[in-house]
Amino acid sequence: MKTPRLLEPAPNWSDAERPTLPGSPASIAHARSKRMQYFIIGLFITLVGGLSNGFITANLPQIQGEYGLTPSEAAWIPTVYVMANVSSNLILFKARQQYGLRLFSEIGLIFFIAVLILHLFVHSFGMVLFTRFISGFVAAPLSSLGMYYMMQAFQRAHLGKAIYLAFGFQQLGLPLAWIISPTLIEVNDWSNLYRFELGLALCCLAMVVALKLPRSLRVEVFEKKDFITFLLLATAFACFCIVLSQGPILWWLNTPWLAYLLIAGFALLLLGLAFEHYRLNPLIMTRWISTGSMLNFILGAIAIRFLMSEQSYATVNFLRSMGMGPDQFVPLYRIIFCGIALGTIFSALSFSRERMLLKLIFAEILILIACGLDYHLTRDVRPENFYLSQFLVGFAGGAFIGPLILTGMSKALSKGPHYVITFIVLFSATQNFGGLIGSSFFSTYQQYRSQDYRSQMLTDLNTTQEIVQLRIQQYQRLYQNYQADPQLQHSLALKKLNQDINQESQVRAFNDVIALNGLFALFLLLWGSSNIAWSKYQLYRSTQQTRSIAVNHSSTTLNPNSSTNHE
C-alpha cells in the first residue's frame, strides 16, 4: 500500500490532538460549555439521521394509500433508501478523507434540502423514490457527522463511550418516528411530514455551519479503479435489496426475474471482490475479510441484527393484523425508545474493552427472554402486552451496537488505517442486510405457516357440527338489525367465520415466528459463548506455555553447566 499524499499542510497538532485517521477531526481540548454544545449538536444530528427512514417505516401503509400503490410498489420506497445507504460507504469514506468531512457534509445537506423542497411541489411516486434514495445516501455522512460531534464532547480517554452513545442513539430514530408521526400527519395532507423533515435538515445545516468540527488531515486517496469497484458492488447490493424486499410480496417461486436478479447480484459481488483482490491499492481488503476472525465477526453481526428484526416485523405486523392503528402504537414505542436509550447509556457507562464480547452475549440473553415472554400470542393481545418484552429488545439493541462496532474497529485499526474503510463497508452491509434478511425470512415463514394453518382449519371445519352451527347462528344474529334477508345474513355469517379463521391462522403463524426467533437466539447464544470460552482457553494455554518456556530458560541460565556436572 502506498502512503497517500497530503493535500494541505498539517496544523501544528500535539500527539494527543492529532486525528486517528485522515478525514476524522482532531481531538481538541475544548472548554466544558463548548463540549456541551458539541454533544447537543451530535445528538440532534444522530436522531435526524435515523428519523428519515423511520418516518417511511412507520407510515408505509398510509403512504401506499396516499399514492394508490400496490404492496410491491410500496416496498420499493424503503428499499431504495437501503440501496443508497449500504452502497454510499463504499465511496464516502474516501470522499471525506480527500475533501474534508465538513465540506462534504454541508454539500450533502444542501443537496438533500433542495430535493425536499422539490418534493413539496412534486407529489408523485417517482419523486418519493428519488427523495428516499437521496435520504439514504445522506444518512451515511450524517451518522459519521453525529459520531464526530459527540466525540468532541469527550476527552480522548473516553472516546469509546462517545462511540457507544452515537451508534446507540442512532437507533432512536425509528421509535421516535412512530411516536411523533400521528401528530404530524393529517388526513389528506402529507405536506406536514415533508415540511417537518425539511425543517430538521435545515436545523442540521445551521448547526454544522455555526459550530464547525476541528480540521482534519486531507489526503489524496481516490483512484479511478475505486469507481469500478463502486459500480460493481453497489449494483450487487442493489440486486440483493430488491430480491429481499420483493420476494415475500411477489413470492419467490412465482417470479422468475427475482432468480435472475439474485444470480446477477452474486456474479457482480464475486467480480467486484475478485477485482479488489488483485489491486495494488484495494478499496476492500479481501484477504482480511476471509480470515477466520473476520468471518466470525461478519456472521455474528448479521445474526444479531437478524434477531433484532423480529421486533420491527413480528410485533408491528401482528398488532396490525389484529386491527391496531398508528395511534395505538405510540405508548409501545415510547417504551421501546426508553429501552434503547437506557441500553445505550448502560453500555457507555459500563464501557470496558474486556467486557465488549460479554455485552453481546448479554444482548442475546435479553432477546431470548423477550421471545419467551411474547410466545403464546392470542387474538386478545394488545400493545400493552408487549411492553416488557419490547423494552428488553430495545435495551439489547442499545447495548449491543457499541461493543459490536468497537470490536470490529479495533480489529481494523490493529491492521492499519487502510483497513478501516473495509470495516465500515462490512459493518454497514451486515446491519442493513441483517435487517433485510430477517424481515424477508420472517415474512416468508409467517405467510407459509399462516396458509398451512388456514388449510388445516378449513379441512377440520365441519359446518354440520353443533359448535360450528352455534357460532354461525351467533354471527347471523349480529346482522339481523340491519339485514332482513336470511340468506344474506347466513352469507355474512360465513364470511365472518372465514375472517376469524384467517385471524387465528395469523396468530398461530406469528407464534411460530417468535418461537423460531427464540431458537435462533439460543443457537447464537451457545455459539457466541463457545467462541468466547475457546478464546479464553487458547489464551490460557498460550500463557501457560510462555510461563513454562520462561521457567526453563531461567533454570538453564542459573545452571548453565548442570548437564555437564551430572555427567
Side-chain angles (χ1 to χ4, degrees):
M1 297 292 292
K2 68 177 182 180
T3 303
R5 180 176 66 88
L6 280 173
L7 294 176
E8 59 184 11
N12 188 22
W13 288 312
S14 65
D15 291 339
E17 294 175 337
R18 177 171 288 274
T20 307
L21 295 168
S24 59
S27 300
I28 307 298
H30 302 291
R32 184 183 294 273
S33 60
K34 198 169 185 179
R35 286 184 185 277
M36 184 59 65
Q37 294 174 25
Y38 273 116
F39 182 82
I40 293 171
I41 294 175
L43 179 60
F44 186 84
I45 293 173
T46 297
L47 291 176
V48 171
L51 263 176
S52 183
N53 189 45
F55 282 137
I56 297 302
T57 303
N59 301 291
L60 190 58
Q62 291 85 351
I63 294 174
Q64 179 182 342
E66 172 73 12
Y67 290 96
L69 307 176
T70 64
S72 175
E73 290 173 332
W76 279 94
I77 300 175
T79 300
V80 295
Y81 177 93
V82 178
M83 285 165 54
N85 188 256
V86 73
S87 301
S88 59
N89 284 305
L90 285 165
I91 210 77
L92 293 185
F93 184 78
K94 280 195 171 183
R96 70 170 185 255
Q97 284 187 319
Q98 184 155 330
Y99 301 109
L101 178 64
R102 296 190 302 192
L103 177 64
F104 181 76
S105 301
E106 290 169 10
I107 292 175
L109 279 169
I110 291 171
F111 185 56
F112 182 47
I113 289 168
V115 172
L116 286 174
I117 292 173
L118 182 62
H119 192 25
L120 288 175
F121 298 98
V122 182
H123 299 280
S124 66
F125 178 51
M127 192 63 203
V128 172
L129 293 181
F130 181 62
T131 306
R132 289 310 112 198
F133 183 86
I134 299 301
S135 175
F137 203 84
V138 171
L142 274 184
S143 62
S144 300
L145 198 64
M147 179 187 70
Y148 286 134
Y149 267 92
M150 280 200 175
M151 289 171 68
Q152 293 299 313
F154 289 81
Q155 297 177 356
R156 196 178 184 95
H158 301 293
L159 291 185
K161 295 180 180 179
I163 293 174
Y164 275 31
L165 291 174
F167 281 91
F169 287 154
Q170 277 182 18
Q171 300 177 88
L172 293 175
L174 178 61
L176 188 59
W178 279 93
I179 293 169
I180 64 180
S181 287
T183 59
L184 283 175
I185 298 171
E186 299 177 3
V187 179
N188 298 324
D189 185 10
W190 282 79
S191 57
N192 283 345
L193 182 63
Y194 305 139
R195 289 193 192 101
F196 185 74
E197 194 172 3
L198 174 61
L200 292 176
L202 287 169
C203 288
C204 283
L205 180 61
M207 289 178 174
V208 168
V209 172
L211 183 61
K212 295 182 179 292
L213 287 169
R215 284 182 57 188
S216 61
L217 287 172
R218 290 179 55 233
V219 292
E220 187 179 27
V221 288
F222 270 124
E223 297 181 7
K224 293 179 181 178
K225 292 181 179 180
D226 291 336
F227 297 97
I228 299 176
T229 302
F230 175 77
L231 289 174
L232 290 172
L233 295 184
T235 308
F237 292 158
C239 291
F240 294 144
C241 290
I242 294 168
V243 170
L244 290 171
S245 63
Q246 296 294 322
I249 300 172
L250 301 176
W251 202 247
W252 308 94
L253 303 179
N254 297 339
T255 315
W257 64 265
L258 288 176
Y260 297 125
L261 204 61
L262 187 62
I263 294 170
F266 277 113
L268 289 168
L269 178 65
L270 292 175
L271 187 60
L273 293 178
F275 178 75
E276 285 294 289
H277 189 76
Y278 293 103
R279 278 184 62 184
L280 181 62
N281 297 299
L283 191 67
I284 305 295
M285 303 294 180
T286 54
R287 292 172 178 84
W288 182 51
I289 295 175
S290 60
T291 60
S293 62
M294 284 308 298
L295 289 176
N296 278 336
F297 174 82
I298 293 169
L299 290 175
I302 291 176
I304 198 164
R305 179 54 67 185
F306 179 95
L307 297 179
M308 294 292 297
S309 67
E310 184 265 341
Q311 181 183 69
S312 58
Y313 173 76
T315 304
V316 172
N317 285 287
F318 170 78
L319 291 172
R320 276 176 174 165
S321 67
M322 296 299 108
M324 302 293 105
D327 292 340
Q328 293 163 295
F329 285 109
V330 172
L332 173 62
Y333 274 95
R334 285 174 181 162
I335 298 294
I336 295 174
F337 183 93
C338 293
I340 295 173
L342 292 176
T344 300
I345 294 170
F346 162 78
S347 190
L349 291 178
S350 58
F351 169 76
S352 171
R353 295 187 181 273
E354 293 75 22
R355 290 195 292 264
M356 288 193 296
L357 293 177
L358 293 178
K359 286 180 181 177
L360 297 178
I361 297 296
F362 176 63
E364 293 162 12
I365 293 173
L366 291 181
I367 295 172
L368 187 59
I369 294 172
C371 289
L373 292 172
D374 286 343
Y375 192 56
H376 303 302
L377 297 175
T378 67
R379 286 189 289 173
D380 297 325
V381 167
R382 293 296 178 263
E384 54 268 22
N385 300 113
F386 287 102
Y387 284 175
L388 178 57
S389 64
Q390 296 312 301
F391 175 84
L392 294 177
V393 176
F395 194 95
F400 96 88
I401 193 72
L404 182 67
I405 192 170
L406 213 57
T407 299
M409 184 65 78
S410 61
K411 291 177 182 289
L413 289 174
S414 67
K415 302 292 290 185
H418 298 291
Y419 289 77
V420 174
I421 184 172
T422 302
F423 167 72
I424 291 174
V425 172
L426 276 181
F427 180 78
S428 175
T430 56
Q431 296 308 287
N432 279 294
F433 283 117
L436 273 178
I437 293 170
S439 297
S440 181
F441 175 82
F442 287 133
S443 177
T444 302
Y445 183 70
Q446 189 271 333
Q447 291 180 63
Y448 173 78
R449 294 301 295 156
S450 177
Q451 290 298 321
D452 193 31
Y453 281 125
R454 174 176 163 76
S455 299
Q456 290 179 15
M457 284 186 281
L458 289 175
T459 301
D460 297 337
L461 187 66
N462 188 350
T463 55
T464 61
Q465 290 179 343
E466 182 179 356
I467 188 170
V468 177
Q469 288 291 330
L470 288 174
R471 178 61 63 90
I472 293 174
Q473 291 172 11
Q474 180 184 1
Y475 289 156
Q476 280 184 278
R477 285 194 292 269
L478 293 175
Y479 298 110
Q480 285 177 355
N481 294 331
Y482 54 90
Q483 187 55 253
D485 188 350
Q487 289 186 345
L488 192 54
Q489 290 174 10
H490 184 73
S491 177
L492 291 171
L494 291 176
K495 185 178 179 180
K496 181 68 169 65
L497 182 62
N498 185 59
Q499 291 174 350
D500 287 349
I501 291 172
N502 287 338
Q503 197 173 59
E504 183 61 29
S505 66
Q506 294 275 350
V507 170
R508 296 185 183 185
F510 277 111
N511 268 318
D512 288 352
V513 167
I514 292 170
L516 186 61
N517 195 53
L519 290 176
F520 288 151
L522 180 60
F523 174 78
L524 184 60
L525 176 62
L526 295 175
W527 178 66
S529 301
S530 62
N531 279 341
I532 292 176
W534 178 248
S535 299
K536 296 288 186 183
Y537 174 69
Q538 286 185 317
L539 180 62
Y540 172 77
R541 283 190 59 185
S542 177
T543 304
Q544 291 298 107
Q545 289 176 357
T546 304
R547 287 178 179 175
S548 176
I549 292 171
V551 169
N552 292 335
H553 178 72
S554 177
S555 62
T556 304
T557 304
L558 292 174
N559 301 293
N561 300 318
S562 57
S563 58
T564 306
N565 294 338
H566 178 71
E567 292 176 356

